[in-house]
Amino acid sequence: MTKFDFSEEKLTQVWTEKYGSVVKAIFAKSGTKLVSDTVEDLYGEYTGSVPVNAKGYDNIHPDGTKDEIKSTSTILSNGSMRIGGLRGKADLCDNLVIVDCANNRTSIIPSAVFFTEGKFYHSRDAHMFLWSGTYNENDTIQQKNTALFLKYEV
């Protein structure tokens, strides 16, 4: 009789082979909710903020500072990275936190600066911010937005 292997180890192996990592498999197959919630929880641990998932912001600090957290782990085929869901956030949060899970980099940009200096792409359903997946080390993709990310990188 054939024995099937559906162990955690086997699933991890398959996901890593098929998608590159378990995190990428989660993004690909279940959307971003699990990863984004985990990023918000970890950010709270690192900064002393509390995840609240309120309208316009995700975490709040003891001093009342409100952070909207956006994360991605995907470098697009054109070499850029992208966050979306920015419509209506400008007046509701104090900082825009961008977490690049692919390169393990984070930027905390004051909202007034982000929404004034950033270059945005608008579609019917989304306002998007794009930057270089290599941080312009060997390309000229989205230089203005990449420079903004780098200026506020932590």
Side-chain angles (χ1 to χ4, degrees), residues 17 20 44 51 58 63 65 77 79 105 153-154:
E17 289 172 0
D58 296 307
D63 67 359
T65 302
S77 60
R105 297 175 83 157
E153 186 172 17
V154 293

Side-chain angles (χ1 to χ4, degrees), residues 4-17:
F4 296 108
D5 184 0
F6 295 106
S7 66
E8 181 178 343
E9 292 80 15
K10 183 63 176 178
L11 294 175
T12 299
Q13 175 191 346
V14 170
W15 293 333
T16 302
E17 289 172 0

Side-chain angles (χ1 to χ4, degrees), residues 61-135:
H61 295 265
D63 67 359
T65 302
K66 299 171 185 171
D67 292 338
E68 175 66 12
I69 303 168
K70 296 292 183 181
S71 62
T72 185
S73 70
T74 304
I75 299 175
L76 302 173
S77 60
N78 66 3
S80 65
M81 300 194 79
R82 173 181 64 206
I83 57 169
L86 300 169
R87 180 180 290 151
K89 306 285 184 177
D91 299 323
L92 300 175
C93 61
D94 299 301
N95 297 303
L96 210 302
V97 180
I98 303 173
V99 179
D100 168 0
C101 297
N103 296 300
N104 198 23
R105 297 175 83 157
T106 302
S107 187
I108 303 174
I109 307 171
S111 293
V113 173
F114 181 77
F115 289 103
T116 301
E117 297 182 16
K119 179 178 179 183
F120 299 92
Y121 297 85
H122 306 281
S123 70
R124 189 185 60 159
D125 300 321
H127 287 66
M128 298 170 285
F129 177 87
L130 291 87
W131 70 100
S132 168
T134 67
Y135 294 86

